[in-house]
Amino acid sequence: MNEKAHYLLIIALLFFLGFISACSNSMVDKIDRGSDYSYQPGFPELRIASSAFIDSSNNSKISVSGDIVYGSLIYSNKDGVFEAPFSIEIAINNTDDSQTPVIREIFSDTLRGKSENIIHDQDVYQFRREFSINPGTYDIQVAITDNSSQKQVIREATTIVPSANSNVANITNVSLLAKNSSIDEGSFNQATTYHIPSKSDSLRFQFQVTNNAPDSEFEFQMRLLKFRNDTSIARPMNFLNYSPSSMPYIGIDYDEFEVIQSSVRTFNQSGNVIIEYNFHELPRGNYRLEVQSEDNSESDIYKAIEFSIKSPNFPAVKTPRELARPLYYLMDENEFNKMMSIEDPDELKAAIDRFWLTNIENSRVAKDVLSLYYERVEEANKQFSNFKEGWKTDPGMIYILFGPPIYLDTFSDQMAWYYSYNRNDPEERFFFDLSKIRSKYYPFYNYILQRDGSLYNVQRRQIQMWLSGLILQDSL
């Protein structure tokens, strides 16, 4: 090959790689990954999602859905009924003029329950509002105020509202709805986070195809992908560090996936059509449902939504198996494997009770320790979940065993937790490395504990604090 031909080949290769990179960037930008929990201890827990659609009268609309965790509000007892009043404010702003809301709505309600258990209840109150609006791109802000504590939390989302009159074929963003089919009156509700508890065993994906051009054919393909990801429980603090090639370090591999289902549909008529895909009892894991069309004359159309199927009552732990798994941090391997081999739920629950009462002989103290342990498990799920449950992560393990740090430092690729005002005490500080910088290509924080053999005594001592009940007096 002469020099000129070699030069032209390099230019062509660079152009091809640039084209592939541009296509990849464009596709990644159009993946909706939902939101995280953004958990703040002591504040109301609000999760929101928004979507846009064209109704049967050809009007463009925005739908705003929200979940409020019952146990996150402050309750007062009024004549045997526990009540927690709150207020919601929804503000919708056009991104071209964010100073003045296009729409603002305020409403109030009160959560009620006859049992004191409601103050710990992780189930949610759900609301949904629809608004007629002009086509465009909008920022949605939803604020909840706990009227008892006056604490407020704000959540945000962005939604593109399609035009009903466009002559260019298009696909709206994909909405994910879920329901628990074991509840007779259960209905589909829009998912408000990336994390879907597996008790929501029926999933519905919904979007609209707009094709107003006469006599034009529009074809698109749907694929449901399941990605390979780490599912392991954090290994003990004194073990060897993870290899950079191991799955716990990689976390999730977007280059390795299984196609769960694929289909192609063609439309020959004009108008707006709602498309739905339903899936039942998907196994736990991380997924992407993508819709793509290459028929558009201006550019390819690509819309996608990612989600994760977690444990049945996530982020809460309720079933015997959900309660048993986090005991891994307090047991030796043989003891844990023996417990997890119990298949009968009643026998497993009895084994869990025996574990706590055998170690903590005082039943009242055991109840308080058990309550604290699972409170931390649930908080770890809300704060550290990524491609797997938060309690399984390295920060989740440290949080459960040692509680929240006195203070922490974060850097671009590292995090430090301190449990003493003496930063130089090696037994009261923990360092975490970030396996990958979070980005649109890798949307998770995957912090890996810097393990060391010297941490064996630190972990062993903390486990004994739990098993003796002394954890109630001193967490480190």
Side-chain angles (χ1 to χ4, degrees), residues 293-306:
S293 173
E294 300 177 356
D295 290 346
N296 190 287
S297 59
E298 296 183 357
S299 62
D300 292 347
I301 297 173
Y302 181 85
K303 299 293 174 65
I305 186 168
E306 290 186 352

Side-chain angles (χ1 to χ4, degrees), residues 148-293:
S148 298
S149 66
Q150 293 304 308
K151 290 184 176 180
Q152 185 182 79
V153 165
I154 298 175
R155 297 289 176 256
E156 298 179 341
T158 300
T159 298
I160 299 175
V161 179
S163 171
N165 301 315
S166 173
N167 288 328
V168 178
N170 203 354
I171 297 172
T172 64
N173 288 341
V174 182
S175 295
L176 168 55
L177 301 94
K179 79 168 183 177
N180 183 349
S181 61
S182 65
I183 301 176
D184 292 338
E185 298 180 358
S187 59
F188 281 99
N189 293 289
Q190 187 164 7
T192 56
T193 69
Y194 174 83
H195 314 283
I196 310 297
S198 58
K199 70 178 180 182
S200 298
D201 54 2
S202 296
L203 302 183
R204 173 173 293 169
F205 298 87
Q206 191 175 81
F207 57 93
Q208 273 183 305
V209 174
T210 61
N211 183 28
N212 294 326
D215 303 323
S216 66
E217 183 178 276
F218 183 68
E219 181 180 281
F220 66 86
Q221 179 188 33
M222 180 281 294
R223 293 199 308 170
L224 179 64
L225 313 178
K226 184 175 187 290
F227 297 99
R228 179 177 177 238
N229 71 279
D230 171 46
T231 61
S232 64
I233 302 174
R235 63 171 60 167
M237 297 158 54
N238 61 297
F239 277 34
L240 294 175
N241 286 313
Y242 294 112
S243 163
S245 62
S246 67
M247 275 310 299
Y249 192 93
I250 294 170
I252 184 169
D253 188 351
Y254 284 109
D255 294 325
E256 187 171 332
F257 57 83
E258 173 188 0
V259 179
I260 303 298
Q261 185 171 318
S262 177
S263 66
V264 176
R265 297 185 69 168
T266 303
F267 289 91
N268 296 309
Q269 75 274 21
S270 62
N272 305 314
V273 181
I274 295 177
I275 306 298
E276 293 181 351
Y277 291 99
N278 295 289
F279 296 92
H280 189 66
E281 294 185 343
L282 288 176
R284 287 163 68 174
N286 294 266
Y287 296 83
R288 177 191 298 161
L289 184 130
E290 58 182 21
V291 183
Q292 185 172 14
S293 173

